[in-house]
Amino acid sequence: MKHLKLFIGYLIILVTLVERSLVSAFPPQSIPQESSTKSHSTINFYGIYLSAHQFLLRHNIVNGTGKPVSQVLDEFFGTDRDSQTNFYLNILKITDHQNIVQKELAGFAHYHVNGEQILTAHNYVRSLRKSLIDLAESGADIDILRERVGQCLYTLQQFYSNTNWVDLHGDTIIKEFGISATLPVSISNLSDEPCSDCPTDSTSLQSGLCKNNTRTTKLTSGYKSKQDVSKPPSNNQGIGKCSHGSQDDTSRLKSATGGIYKGRSSSAHAPHFYLHNEAFEAAKLATVYFLSDESKKLCCKCR
Ligand SMILES: *[C@@H]1O[C@H](CO)[C@@H](O)[C@H](O)[C@H]1NC(C)=O
Ligand SMILES: *[C@@H]1O[C@H](CO)[C@@H](O)[C@H](O)[C@H]1NC(C)=O
Ligand SMILES: *[C@@H]1O[C@H](CO)[C@@H](O)[C@H](O)[C@H]1NC(C)=O
């Protein structure tokens, strides 16, 4: 029980800390036949695990000198199996809240950072994060906090699956996304045509024919059919707005054909499948950063 309280304290403190400074998505859960595809659940597991580790070290709760991450967490939980179980249950519940967004808000592009809604998504996560902090400070119920954390992390992680950030910057993160007032990058405007046509069949994708279909250094995201923002018609032969490009996205058949989605590791499901691992790494690092952004100023208030 002591550790559950600590975990709640951890969640509350970490959001407070963050404040002071600071499907076609990844699939919700692992896919049995596709073991190299990383899900939101995997990203959360690593992301929350690692940010808990940072939290324990930063607050000198465990002496981590020369110890691997798992040992630090084991020492923290000690022989208290219940608290360890609770820790993992919290991660699962946060993931459940992400799955709800993924299913129930499937038709709205900005939750998934599709359809050139990068700024809208950024501002949405910022406002969610503010409300999370307010709720935490007012001592709200843990379930509401978990819901807000799940909603923030869903869109934050989608950014790396559905935009061309990873195409441009590999597995680095954009620390400002969902946190700062402005984003330090240029974003495609309405008239930009950031993609060129590429094939949509799995065989061509597998042989790399869709590897070089972005033609911009600006940040952009793909349109997906059946969402509230429709893909604009192309104005020039062979180029146009990018599509998301998953199998259920018919916009991938309109110029610019193909897509940039990297939430799965298989060419049958994601045109940029070859960037899946980098997208996973970036989403994981962004999760850790979002949950444990450190600024010296913060501590004072929480203690
Ligand atoms: C932490 O552990 C290391 C290695 O065991 C030890 O040298 C160090 O003195 C410890 N630090 C504290 C603050 O106990
Ligand atoms: C969009 O950006 C391009 C440069 O990439 C610029 O030439 C064009 O004028 C911009 N269009 C609008 C509508 O802002
Ligand atoms: C990718 O396409 C651009 C033109 O759109 C070309 O300049 C570049 O050389 C291509 N790169 C590769 C690796 O094919």
Side-chain angles (χ1 to χ4, degrees):
M1 274 323 279
K2 177 185 83 187
H3 290 316
L4 174 62
K5 284 211 185 93
L6 256 175
F7 181 77
I8 295 171
Y10 158 67
L11 265 184
I12 291 172
I13 289 167
L14 70 85
V15 295
T16 314
L17 292 181
V18 168
E19 170 58 359
R20 297 291 174 276
S21 69
L22 285 166
V23 219
S24 21
F26 289 105
Q29 308 287 352
S30 301
I31 302 170
Q33 318 83 297
E34 211 177 289
S35 58
S36 50
T37 285
K38 309 295 198 303
S39 61
H40 281 288
S41 144
T42 311
I43 300 168
N44 287 338
F45 176 80
Y46 285 108
I48 297 174
Y49 195 75
L50 292 173
S51 62
H53 174 250
Q54 289 190 1
F55 176 81
L56 294 175
L57 298 193
R58 192 171 308 130
H59 294 268
N60 293 318
I61 298 170
V62 176
N63 177 357
T65 310
K67 290 173 195 160
V69 178
S70 59
Q71 193 183 339
V72 170
L73 271 99
D74 284 350
E75 278 182 25
F76 170 64
F77 289 119
T79 52
D80 188 348
R81 293 228 158 239
D82 281 354
S83 63
Q84 192 146 13
T85 306
N86 271 318
F87 179 74
Y88 295 120
L89 276 179
N90 275 310
I91 298 180
L92 293 180
K93 286 193 177 160
I94 287 169
T95 308
D96 286 345
H97 288 297
Q98 292 185 316
N99 297 346
I100 292 171
V101 177
Q102 188 156 20
K103 274 199 212 119
E104 294 184 0
L105 301 170
F108 301 91
H110 74 270
Y111 294 107
H112 319 278
V113 208
N114 283 329
E116 299 275 30
Q117 301 300 300
I118 292 169
L119 266 187
T120 310
H122 163 67
N123 287 320
Y124 157 74
V125 177
R126 279 191 81 214
S127 71
L128 262 185
R129 188 166 151 280
K130 284 212 177 78
S131 91
L132 171 60
I133 289 147
D134 291 345
L135 284 166
E137 287 184 342
S138 68
D141 190 74
I142 180 81
D143 201 48
I144 295 171
L145 299 180
R146 281 190 303 234
E147 180 184 61
R148 288 293 191 284
V149 171
Q151 291 166 338
C152 284
L153 292 183
Y154 177 80
T155 299
L156 182 78
Q157 294 167 0
Q158 287 299 83
F159 175 87
Y160 296 94
S161 158
N162 296 351
T163 71
N164 65 335
W165 173 268
V166 172
D167 305 67
L168 295 171
H169 304 283
D171 60 7
T172 63
I173 66 170
I174 174 166
K175 293 183 171 172
E176 294 82 2
F177 186 84
I179 296 179
S180 308
T182 54
L183 293 178
V185 288
S186 348
I187 298 179
S188 281
N189 66 32
L190 263 175
S191 54
D192 285 327
E193 298 198 299
C195 270
S196 24
D197 285 345
C198 76
T200 55
D201 64 288
S202 180
T203 314
S204 304
L205 291 173
Q206 185 63 45
S207 58
L209 293 179
C210 209
K211 279 195 179 175
N212 194 21
N213 64 330
T214 54
R215 45 186 302 282
T216 183
T217 53
K218 292 186 185 177
L219 204 53
T220 186
S221 74
Y223 289 78
K224 185 164 188 275
S225 57
K226 300 201 193 113
Q227 290 190 332
D228 58 342
V229 187
S230 308
K231 183 171 174 173
S234 145
N235 290 314
N236 292 287
Q237 177 78 28
I239 61 174
K241 287 292 185 192
C242 304
S243 279
H244 178 67
S246 56
Q247 284 302 304
D248 59 345
D249 170 25
T250 55
S251 89
R252 78 189 196 287
L253 305 171
K254 292 193 280 185
S255 206
T257 57
I260 61 171
Y261 169 55
K262 31 197 147 307
R264 305 268 296 262
S265 62
S266 115
S267 61
H269 298 104
H272 283 188
F273 66 98
Y274 59 95
L275 293 174
H276 177 70
N277 262 327
E278 285 176 272
F280 162 69
E281 277 301 320
K284 182 184 82 183
L285 294 174
T287 299
V288 175
Y289 184 79
F290 191 86
L291 293 178
S292 51
D293 178 18
E294 65 259 25
S295 161
K296 306 287 184 261
K297 289 179 268 171
L298 339 142
C299 321
C300 320
K301 177 146 188 192
C302 347
R303 273 181 190 153

PDB file of all heavy atoms in Angstrom, residues 201-216:
ATOM      1  N   ASP A 201       1.096  -1.294 -53.361  1.00  0.00           N
ATOM      2  CA  ASP A 201       1.010  -2.739 -53.113  1.00  0.00           C
ATOM      3  C   ASP A 201       2.192  -3.198 -52.269  1.00  0.00           C
ATOM      4  O   ASP A 201       3.284  -2.645 -52.340  1.00  0.00           O
ATOM      5  CB  ASP A 201       0.979  -3.504 -54.438  1.00  0.00           C
ATOM      6  CG  ASP A 201       2.262  -3.314 -55.217  1.00  0.00           C
ATOM      7  OD1 ASP A 201       2.466  -2.195 -55.744  1.00  0.00           O
ATOM      8  OD2 ASP A 201       3.096  -4.250 -55.251  1.00  0.00           O
ATOM      9  N   SER A 202       1.918  -4.216 -51.501  1.00  0.00           N
ATOM     10  CA  SER A 202       2.863  -4.687 -50.504  1.00  0.00           C
ATOM     11  C   SER A 202       4.214  -5.101 -51.104  1.00  0.00           C
ATOM     12  O   SER A 202       5.268  -4.838 -50.533  1.00  0.00           O
ATOM     13  CB  SER A 202       2.234  -5.860 -49.749  1.00  0.00           C
ATOM     14  OG  SER A 202       3.104  -6.335 -48.799  1.00  0.00           O
ATOM     15  N   THR A 203       4.179  -5.716 -52.290  1.00  0.00           N
ATOM     16  CA  THR A 203       5.437  -6.186 -52.906  1.00  0.00           C
ATOM     17  C   THR A 203       6.351  -5.013 -53.241  1.00  0.00           C
ATOM     18  O   THR A 203       7.548  -5.028 -52.936  1.00  0.00           O
ATOM     19  CB  THR A 203       5.134  -6.985 -54.200  1.00  0.00           C
ATOM     20  OG1 THR A 203       4.085  -7.889 -53.901  1.00  0.00           O
ATOM     21  CG2 THR A 203       6.342  -7.737 -54.678  1.00  0.00           C
ATOM     22  N   SER A 204       5.773  -3.969 -53.840  1.00  0.00           N
ATOM     23  CA  SER A 204       6.577  -2.782 -54.168  1.00  0.00           C
ATOM     24  C   SER A 204       7.082  -2.108 -52.903  1.00  0.00           C
ATOM     25  O   SER A 204       8.223  -1.644 -52.843  1.00  0.00           O
ATOM     26  CB  SER A 204       5.757  -1.767 -54.958  1.00  0.00           C
ATOM     27  OG  SER A 204       5.213  -2.339 -56.104  1.00  0.00           O
ATOM     28  N   LEU A 205       6.211  -2.053 -51.893  1.00  0.00           N
ATOM     29  CA  LEU A 205       6.619  -1.424 -50.637  1.00  0.00           C
ATOM     30  C   LEU A 205       7.781  -2.187 -50.028  1.00  0.00           C
ATOM     31  O   LEU A 205       8.773  -1.607 -49.602  1.00  0.00           O
ATOM     32  CB  LEU A 205       5.448  -1.394 -49.652  1.00  0.00           C
ATOM     33  CG  LEU A 205       4.306  -0.456 -50.016  1.00  0.00           C
ATOM     34  CD1 LEU A 205       3.131  -0.632 -49.061  1.00  0.00           C
ATOM     35  CD2 LEU A 205       4.784   0.986 -49.987  1.00  0.00           C
ATOM     36  N   GLN A 206       7.633  -3.519 -50.053  1.00  0.00           N
ATOM     37  CA  GLN A 206       8.666  -4.367 -49.460  1.00  0.00           C
ATOM     38  C   GLN A 206      10.004  -4.167 -50.169  1.00  0.00           C
ATOM     39  O   GLN A 206      11.052  -4.171 -49.547  1.00  0.00           O
ATOM     40  CB  GLN A 206       8.228  -5.842 -49.542  1.00  0.00           C
ATOM     41  CG  GLN A 206       9.159  -6.816 -48.857  1.00  0.00           C
ATOM     42  CD  GLN A 206       9.255  -6.566 -47.345  1.00  0.00           C
ATOM     43  OE1 GLN A 206       8.247  -6.371 -46.682  1.00  0.00           O
ATOM     44  NE2 GLN A 206      10.465  -6.545 -46.812  1.00  0.00           N
ATOM     45  N   SER A 207       9.951  -3.920 -51.482  1.00  0.00           N
ATOM     46  CA  SER A 207      11.222  -3.744 -52.201  1.00  0.00           C
ATOM     47  C   SER A 207      11.717  -2.298 -52.145  1.00  0.00           C
ATOM     48  O   SER A 207      12.652  -1.935 -52.849  1.00  0.00           O
ATOM     49  CB  SER A 207      11.090  -4.243 -53.642  1.00  0.00           C
ATOM     50  OG  SER A 207      10.059  -3.554 -54.282  1.00  0.00           O
ATOM     51  N   GLY A 208      11.087  -1.483 -51.331  1.00  0.00           N
ATOM     52  CA  GLY A 208      11.652  -0.161 -51.042  1.00  0.00           C
ATOM     53  C   GLY A 208      11.199   0.962 -51.955  1.00  0.00           C
ATOM     54  O   GLY A 208      11.756   2.054 -51.920  1.00  0.00           O
ATOM     55  N   LEU A 209      10.171   0.708 -52.773  1.00  0.00           N
ATOM     56  CA  LEU A 209       9.759   1.723 -53.745  1.00  0.00           C
ATOM     57  C   LEU A 209       9.026   2.916 -53.123  1.00  0.00           C
ATOM     58  O   LEU A 209       8.735   3.885 -53.798  1.00  0.00           O
ATOM     59  CB  LEU A 209       8.903   1.085 -54.849  1.00  0.00           C
ATOM     60  CG  LEU A 209       9.677   0.113 -55.746  1.00  0.00           C
ATOM     61  CD1 LEU A 209       8.772  -0.498 -56.807  1.00  0.00           C
ATOM     62  CD2 LEU A 209      10.858   0.835 -56.419  1.00  0.00           C
ATOM     63  N   CYS A 210       8.727   2.819 -51.828  1.00  0.00           N
ATOM     64  CA  CYS A 210       8.043   3.945 -51.193  1.00  0.00           C
ATOM     65  C   CYS A 210       8.942   4.612 -50.143  1.00  0.00           C
ATOM     66  O   CYS A 210       8.498   5.357 -49.298  1.00  0.00           O
ATOM     67  CB  CYS A 210       6.738   3.468 -50.559  1.00  0.00           C
ATOM     68  SG  CYS A 210       5.469   4.730 -50.482  1.00  0.00           S
ATOM     69  N   LYS A 211      10.236   4.326 -50.266  1.00  0.00           N
ATOM     70  CA  LYS A 211      11.142   4.844 -49.243  1.00  0.00           C
ATOM     71  C   LYS A 211      11.440   6.315 -49.404  1.00  0.00           C
ATOM     72  O   LYS A 211      11.840   6.986 -48.473  1.00  0.00           O
ATOM     73  CB  LYS A 211      12.467   4.066 -49.267  1.00  0.00           C
ATOM     74  CG  LYS A 211      12.384   2.750 -48.538  1.00  0.00           C
ATOM     75  CD  LYS A 211      13.760   2.178 -48.259  1.00  0.00           C
ATOM     76  CE  LYS A 211      13.601   0.870 -47.492  1.00  0.00           C
ATOM     77  NZ  LYS A 211      14.874   0.196 -47.283  1.00  0.00           N
ATOM     78  N   ASN A 212      11.295   6.810 -50.623  1.00  0.00           N
ATOM     79  CA  ASN A 212      11.760   8.175 -50.879  1.00  0.00           C
ATOM     80  C   ASN A 212      10.606   9.043 -51.374  1.00  0.00           C
ATOM     81  O   ASN A 212      10.768   9.826 -52.286  1.00  0.00           O
ATOM     82  CB  ASN A 212      12.887   8.112 -51.921  1.00  0.00           C
ATOM     83  CG  ASN A 212      13.647   9.406 -51.996  1.00  0.00           C
ATOM     84  OD1 ASN A 212      13.612  10.207 -51.058  1.00  0.00           O
ATOM     85  ND2 ASN A 212      14.321   9.638 -53.111  1.00  0.00           N
ATOM     86  N   ASN A 213       9.455   8.892 -50.766  1.00  0.00           N
ATOM     87  CA  ASN A 213       8.280   9.605 -51.294  1.00  0.00           C
ATOM     88  C   ASN A 213       8.017  10.947 -50.625  1.00  0.00           C
ATOM     89  O   ASN A 213       7.068  11.617 -50.971  1.00  0.00           O
ATOM     90  CB  ASN A 213       7.033   8.714 -51.213  1.00  0.00           C
ATOM     91  CG  ASN A 213       6.657   8.393 -49.780  1.00  0.00           C
ATOM     92  OD1 ASN A 213       7.527   8.333 -48.916  1.00  0.00           O
ATOM     93  ND2 ASN A 213       5.387   8.184 -49.530  1.00  0.00           N
ATOM     94  N   THR A 214       8.830  11.349 -49.636  1.00  0.00           N
ATOM     95  CA  THR A 214       8.613  12.688 -49.091  1.00  0.00           C
ATOM     96  C   THR A 214       9.604  13.633 -49.761  1.00  0.00           C
ATOM     97  O   THR A 214      10.722  13.238 -50.104  1.00  0.00           O
ATOM     98  CB  THR A 214       8.778  12.731 -47.560  1.00  0.00           C
ATOM     99  OG1 THR A 214      10.048  12.193 -47.213  1.00  0.00           O
ATOM    100  CG2 THR A 214       7.687  11.936 -46.864  1.00  0.00           C
ATOM    101  N   ARG A 215       9.172  14.854 -49.983  1.00  0.00           N
ATOM    102  CA  ARG A 215      10.009  15.802 -50.722  1.00  0.00           C
ATOM    103  C   ARG A 215       9.997  17.159 -50.012  1.00  0.00           C
ATOM    104  O   ARG A 215       9.783  18.189 -50.633  1.00  0.00           O
ATOM    105  CB  ARG A 215       9.506  15.916 -52.167  1.00  0.00           C
ATOM    106  CG  ARG A 215       7.992  16.046 -52.278  1.00  0.00           C
ATOM    107  CD  ARG A 215       7.492  16.004 -53.719  1.00  0.00           C
ATOM    108  NE  ARG A 215       8.058  17.032 -54.565  1.00  0.00           N
ATOM    109  CZ  ARG A 215       7.673  18.303 -54.582  1.00  0.00           C
ATOM    110  NH1 ARG A 215       6.705  18.716 -53.795  1.00  0.00           N
ATOM    111  NH2 ARG A 215       8.245  19.167 -55.398  1.00  0.00           N
ATOM    112  N   THR A 216      10.221  17.124 -48.711  1.00  0.00           N
ATOM    113  CA  THR A 216      10.143  18.365 -47.951  1.00  0.00           C
ATOM    114  C   THR A 216      11.042  18.288 -46.725  1.00  0.00           C
ATOM    115  O   THR A 216      11.346  17.195 -46.245  1.00  0.00           O
ATOM    116  CB  THR A 216       8.695  18.623 -47.498  1.00  0.00           C
ATOM    117  OG1 THR A 216       8.630  19.874 -46.808  1.00  0.00           O
ATOM    118  CG2 THR A 216       8.191  17.541 -46.551  1.00  0.00           C
TER     119      THR A 216
END
